[in-house]
Amino acid sequence: MKKKQVLIQVNSTYDFYTFLAIINKSKGNFVLNLLGPKEIINNSPKKFLRRFNHIYKYNPNLKNLLSIHSLVETIKLSLWCIKNKKKFSLVCVGAYRNEVTSILAKFFVKNSKFIAIKQGIDVPKDKYEEFRNLRTLHDYIYFKIFGYSSFERERLKPIYINSYKSDYFFSMIRWINDPFKKENIYTVGLETNNLSDNRNLILPDYRSLFKDKKEFTKSILFIGERTPMTPYWSNTQDLILRRIFKLFLKKYSGYQFYLRPRLKLTNNNFYKILDPIILDPHQSFDEQLNQLKPSLVISVKSTASKVAAYYGFNSIILYNLLKLKDKELLHLNYLFGDGSPAIIVKNEQHLKTKNLACNSKKSLGKNDFIKLNDFLQLKMR
């Protein structure tokens, strides 16, 4: 009997490890193939790449009608889709909404089961209001030519004058014509929260990928974020966070602090009180994390904290301490409302009284995470 072909498309190393954790122990009558950005595939461990029968690469710089290079790369990906549109029985994508997903859907959705795995619980649609601008027109033309569907652009209500300045934080894109069936959209997380967008929850066995039993190091990793971190950030948040930094320095005296900045977005000087070792933002976060093995991972609102927690590291999130606006809290509560094992710290007393750093003598061991057994086998039926 001829084995069925499965295509797994990733956009980031986190997508890559998510699908690897799902398929790691799956057995069935199928063959796995990988489609991903050149840089990710070129830098991925060979032991993981050997899990795939064929590996296809694309350039992720696609969605720009004003760039000849981007148009050429989009056409290359489209031609690859045309060539292979009847090859795969199942297509799994690492982003529910983006240009690569729309391009793939245009060619594959009629012949393949289409599955997406996303992060975070979606904020209810009635909290948003649609808006249009030149970027909306650009995207409409692009997806009309190359994609299955364009996307509506929405911002959390109320929309203020010059709200485009906060677009990175409060905006959401939604399919105009959604190629996915509701039951085929999965959110990484656990059923341990009060928020829901009625998507399936899935928690892959990430730690099955990282079997190194080395001990945690006496180190703390801060995730550098956009500076300032939110549109309404002010001196108030600066003062609170500096006070928290001093608390960490006092409580974890003797620990080495590290900072992973976001490329071209983080002001490293903001963290200078910690005297951290600055990590290379070009290196894969997953790789850095498992090389460093920190006793604690800290961010204000970065999904990197969730990723670290899924991989088995003690991880905390601080945004509740910073007196943010209700609009900001709504966004963040849903972003982290998927039941991630990362701890969302509620008050400074928690930081003062609890030892949040993992004991350096404790090893990274077998996890107790929920596994979705035979995920691919189930979807191939």
Side-chain angles (χ1 to χ4, degrees):
M1 180 178 178
K2 186 177 180 180
K3 292 187 175 182
K4 296 178 180 178
Q5 297 286 329
V6 175
L7 177 67
I8 292 177
Q9 183 268 326
V10 301
N11 304 282
S12 66
T13 52
Y14 176 66
D15 293 344
F16 182 60
Y17 286 121
T18 294
F19 282 115
L20 279 172
I22 291 171
I23 67 177
N24 196 36
K25 297 180 180 178
S26 297
K27 296 180 180 180
N29 188 36
F30 50 80
V31 176
L32 301 173
N33 304 276
L34 178 66
L35 172 67
K38 295 178 181 178
E39 185 175 357
I40 290 176
I41 290 178
N42 290 342
N43 293 312
S44 294
K46 296 294 189 293
K47 65 177 181 179
F48 292 141
L49 294 177
R50 284 195 288 268
R51 188 71 176 84
F52 300 95
N53 186 48
H54 286 102
I55 297 174
Y56 307 100
K57 304 176 185 179
Y58 68 88
N59 189 317
N61 299 316
L62 298 169
K63 195 179 64 175
N64 187 347
L65 291 171
L66 302 179
S67 166
I68 297 297
H69 174 75
S70 295
L71 288 173
V72 169
E73 294 303 325
T74 299
I75 292 170
K76 285 182 180 178
L77 180 58
S78 298
L79 291 174
W80 179 87
C81 290
I82 292 171
K83 180 180 178 181
N84 293 281
K85 65 181 181 180
K86 295 184 178 180
K87 181 175 181 178
F88 306 108
S89 299
L90 177 66
V91 175
C92 303
V93 298
Y96 174 40
R97 314 172 184 91
N98 78 1
E99 60 270 20
V100 178
T101 304
S102 187
I103 292 170
L104 294 183
K106 178 177 182 178
F107 299 99
F108 290 122
V109 77
K110 291 183 180 180
N111 300 308
S112 312
K113 288 186 179 180
F114 222 60
I115 294 171
I117 298 180
K118 64 183 182 67
Q119 280 201 66
I121 303 295
D122 287 342
V123 179
K125 185 174 174 58
D126 62 5
K127 301 291 186 182
Y128 285 88
E129 183 177 334
E130 185 181 356
F131 72 95
R132 292 186 173 90
N133 55 20
L134 287 176
R135 184 176 175 182
T136 312
L137 176 62
H138 168 278
D139 290 359
Y140 175 80
I141 296 171
Y142 179 88
F143 288 113
K144 190 72 173 177
I145 299 171
F146 297 111
Y148 177 88
S149 168
S150 186
F151 301 91
E152 296 176 340
R153 294 183 61 79
E154 302 174 326
R155 289 196 186 98
L156 281 174
K157 300 175 183 177
I159 294 180
Y160 301 111
I161 296 174
N162 295 328
S163 59
Y164 67 89
K165 293 181 180 179
S166 65
D167 190 47
Y168 71 90
F169 199 67
F170 297 129
S171 67
M172 169 68 75
I173 62 171
R174 297 185 191 273
W175 287 99
I176 293 176
N177 297 305
D178 195 334
F180 293 91
K181 295 181 180 178
K182 184 177 178 180
E183 64 270 18
N184 288 338
I185 303 169
Y186 290 82
T187 298
V188 176
L190 289 168
E191 294 183 15
T192 58
N193 57 82
N194 297 320
L195 300 176
S196 174
D197 57 8
N198 297 314
R199 306 300 187 190
N200 297 313
L201 288 171
I202 174 177
L203 188 53
D205 184 12
Y206 291 100
R207 284 193 236 180
S208 65
L209 304 175
F210 307 108
K211 298 179 180 179
D212 190 343
K213 303 298 183 183
K214 290 182 180 178
E215 298 175 351
F216 291 94
T217 62
K218 200 172 182 181
S219 62
I220 293 177
L221 172 60
F222 271 85
I223 308 299
E225 304 185 56
R226 186 187 293 263
T227 309
M229 296 181 197
T230 78
Y232 300 122
W233 193 272
S234 70
N235 190 53
T236 298
Q237 283 72 43
D238 283 344
L239 293 174
I240 293 173
L241 200 51
R242 287 195 183 104
R243 185 170 70 244
I244 292 172
F245 287 167
K246 290 178 181 178
L247 190 157
F248 280 119
L249 285 169
K250 181 178 179 181
K251 186 171 182 177
Y252 299 106
S253 175
Y255 281 71
Q256 175 63 61
F257 288 83
Y258 291 85
L259 172 67
R260 178 186 168 88
R262 286 190 66 184
L263 188 63
K264 298 181 180 180
L265 292 176
T266 299
N267 178 4
N268 293 351
N269 286 333
F270 188 79
Y271 299 86
K272 66 181 180 181
I273 189 175
L274 299 170
D275 191 25
I277 294 175
I278 308 298
L279 300 178
D280 180 5
H282 293 92
Q283 185 184 10
S284 159
F285 171 66
D286 317 77
E287 183 180 352
Q288 281 181 344
L289 188 63
N290 285 284
Q291 286 176 351
L292 185 61
K293 291 183 167 49
S295 297
L296 183 63
V297 178
I298 304 171
S299 77
V300 171
K301 58 171 188 59
S302 174
T303 54
S305 285
K306 291 201 295 186
V307 173
Y310 287 137
Y311 291 171
F313 296 88
N314 283 20
S315 183
I316 63 174
I317 301 166
L318 302 175
Y319 70 83
N320 269 334
L321 309 184
L322 298 178
K323 297 182 180 180
L324 301 178
K325 304 290 185 181
D326 289 344
K327 191 174 180 179
E328 295 171 314
L329 290 173
L330 174 68
H331 168 87
L332 292 169
N333 286 338
Y334 273 85
L335 178 64
F336 294 101
D338 48 17
S340 163
I343 297 171
I344 302 177
V345 179
K346 298 298 182 183
N347 53 62
E348 289 187 40
Q349 189 64 23
H350 189 185
L351 294 180
K352 293 177 181 177
T353 58
K354 301 292 184 181
N355 183 20
L356 297 167
C358 184
N359 188 316
S360 61
K361 293 183 179 180
K362 180 181 178 182
S363 294
L364 293 171
K366 184 178 180 181
N367 67 3
D368 298 318
F369 288 178
I370 295 172
K371 302 174 186 177
L372 187 63
N373 291 322
D374 298 322
F375 172 81
L376 291 174
Q377 188 65 35
L378 175 67
K379 287 298 175 183
M380 291 298 292
R381 291 172 186 165

